[in-house]
Amino acid sequence: MIYIAGPCAAESEEQVLETARALAQMDGLIFRAGVWKPRTRPESFQGVGDEGLLWLSRVHNEIGLPVATEVANSEQVNKALAAGIQYLWVGARTCASPITVQAIANAINISPQRTHLRGVFIKNPVNEDVALWEGNIRRFQHSDLGFEIYAVHRGCNHQPCWQMAYQLRIDMPQVGLLLDPSHLSGDAERVSSLCRDAAELQYNGLMVEVHPHPKQALSDAKQQITPAEFAAIIHASQVNYSTPIELRWLRKMIDEVDDRLWNAIAQRMAVSERIGAFKKANHMEVLQPTRFSEIMTNRLAWEEKQGLSKEAVQTILTALHEESIRKQQ
Ligand code: PEP
Ligand code: MN
């Protein structure tokens, strides 16, 4: 297993060194910190910039840990390689753009300073697109550069998308697959159970956001955990599983589909309540038989499309409709 851990962002020299010292005892650890942060909103903390590379160099030279940072364009690649950074990662937002990913791969390719580069981590793109993720990885694989490429599964919209990760595992068995439970969940409370999932599904490693004082973090404060919590999670994740690996993956997929299904039903009920309020305000009947038969007819077409039996479609639709009516009343 490889463990990449460290803060979302380098915030100050003290914060970087304090976190690195707290993590230094762990075997096989790569220290991470973002210095240029691709944030959704322009008013959010954008990272400390070039100065942070000096702090990462100190982590490597004085504490002895290999270090990793995020790059989003060729200028950042050149600066990071010039600073002697050993590992680079390409973030989920950058991975949505194949042209940018290619430019990053090219910049690494032609850099005379890439000799100390030991690995590149490619996140899944922000949308659930396994072909784009695999294509991005292949952009780094075209020559024998002498560094490792890893895929980092960080989910989409705070959902795991296990099916996407499983597909990548099947299509590219030679690429190490890591899980990033921090960005996947956006929630420190979910990190430990996702680390167990990674162990259960035989992932090759983890990338976890670790901050000495998570609540005070300038970015991603809700999802970061302390170095002590991280060490305890790693310790607790060493479990043996007897179920066949393929069945473990399939069960994770079905758990996620059920989760999405219940969310979709809750969403349907919320819209239904709004319809109920509208009908009430406009003195309309709750039960509108023509609308119900219209729903039945057009949804029954799913029967053929999805290979479901007519009875199953009718039972599910009737149950949903009855619950909607109950809500509206
Ligand atoms: C990160 O790892 O700091 C990050 C920004 O992650 P992602 O690209 O997965 O959102
Ligand atoms: Mn982050």
Side-chain angles (χ1 to χ4, degrees), residues 186-227:
D187 179 0
E189 299 283 321
R190 283 175 63 196
V191 167
S192 127
S193 91
L194 283 163
C195 290
R196 266 198 313 279
D197 292 341
E200 189 183 344
L201 298 177
Q202 296 176 345
Y203 275 64
N204 306 100
L206 297 166
M207 178 188 271
V208 181
E209 285 193 340
V210 174
H211 192 291
H213 315 284
K215 288 200 174 70
Q216 290 156 31
L218 300 181
S219 57
D220 288 346
K222 288 203 190 104
Q223 70 197 34
Q224 305 205 56
I225 59 174
T226 64

Side-chain angles (χ1 to χ4, degrees), residues 7-9 32-34 37-39 70 89-94 123-124 126 152 154-155 180 183-184 207 209 220 223:
C8 177
R32 64 150 280 157
K37 299 299 299 174
R39 307 303 302 283
E70 174 167 356
W89 82 82
V90 188
R93 286 160 194 77
T94 307
K123 300 259 194 149
N124 69 259
V126 271
V152 182
R154 51 84 76 212
D180 171 349
H183 294 92
L184 191 159
M207 178 188 271
E209 285 193 340
D220 288 346
Q223 70 197 34

Side-chain angles (χ1 to χ4, degrees), residues 8 50 52 63 78 81 112 119 134 174 189 196 205 219 266 280 293:
C8 177
D50 304 2
I63 303 176
N78 292 333
L81 291 179
E134 293 177 358
Q174 76 288 4
E189 299 283 321
R196 266 198 313 279
S219 57
K280 193 169 175 195
S293 64

Side-chain angles (χ1 to χ4, degrees), residues 111-320:
S111 168
Q113 284 165 311
R114 63 151 203 260
T115 44
H116 55 264
L117 186 63
R118 285 163 56 182
V120 178
F121 308 110
I122 317 288
K123 300 259 194 149
N124 69 259
V126 271
N127 52 328
E128 192 172 354
D129 187 342
V130 71
L132 182 57
W133 191 13
E134 293 177 358
N136 285 340
I137 291 169
R138 294 216 319 276
R139 291 174 196 280
F140 291 85
Q141 284 179 322
H142 54 82
S143 56
D144 53 341
L145 292 177
F147 57 82
E148 296 282 335
I149 311 284
Y150 298 88
V152 182
H153 171 206
R154 51 84 76 212
C156 312
N157 299 320
H158 295 161
Q159 278 172 333
C161 314
W162 294 117
Q163 209 145 348
M164 171 177 68
Y166 182 68
Q167 192 62 47
L168 184 117
R169 180 58 117 191
I170 298 299
D171 294 343
M172 299 183 134
Q174 76 288 4
V175 173
L177 179 62
L178 315 182
L179 187 78
D180 171 349
S182 310
H183 294 92
L184 191 159
S185 65
D187 179 0
E189 299 283 321
R190 283 175 63 196
V191 167
S192 127
S193 91
L194 283 163
C195 290
R196 266 198 313 279
D197 292 341
E200 189 183 344
L201 298 177
Q202 296 176 345
Y203 275 64
N204 306 100
L206 297 166
M207 178 188 271
V208 181
E209 285 193 340
V210 174
H211 192 291
H213 315 284
K215 288 200 174 70
Q216 290 156 31
L218 300 181
S219 57
D220 288 346
K222 288 203 190 104
Q223 70 197 34
Q224 305 205 56
I225 59 174
T226 64
E229 286 166 339
F230 179 63
I233 286 172
I234 297 308
H235 186 70
S237 302
Q238 328 280 343
V239 183
N240 289 323
Y241 297 91
S242 54
T243 335
I245 182 71
E246 189 176 348
L247 188 57
R248 284 182 244 162
W249 273 101
L250 292 170
R251 285 182 172 160
K252 286 283 177 269
M253 290 179 211
I254 214 158
D255 288 350
E256 182 179 2
V257 171
D258 280 351
D259 194 45
R260 293 189 193 204
L261 198 55
W262 294 123
N263 282 328
I265 291 173
Q267 226 173 334
R268 190 187 199 281
M269 292 305 157
V271 176
S272 188
E273 276 185 50
R274 290 173 63 183
I275 292 178
F278 180 89
K279 286 176 180 166
K280 193 169 175 195
N282 292 280
H283 313 290
M284 292 164 76
E285 286 292 327
V286 165
L287 183 62
Q288 308 248 329
T290 47
R291 171 67 180 152
F292 181 58
S293 64
E294 184 190 309
I295 288 182
M296 274 293 183
T297 319
N298 90 22
R299 309 296 199 265
L300 273 178
W302 296 345
E303 169 199 343
E304 291 157 32
K305 225 169 39 193
Q306 313 287 11
L308 295 168
S309 75
K310 191 170 187 167
E311 291 67 36
V313 176
Q314 262 164 346
T315 308
I316 295 167
L317 279 177
T318 307
L320 278 175

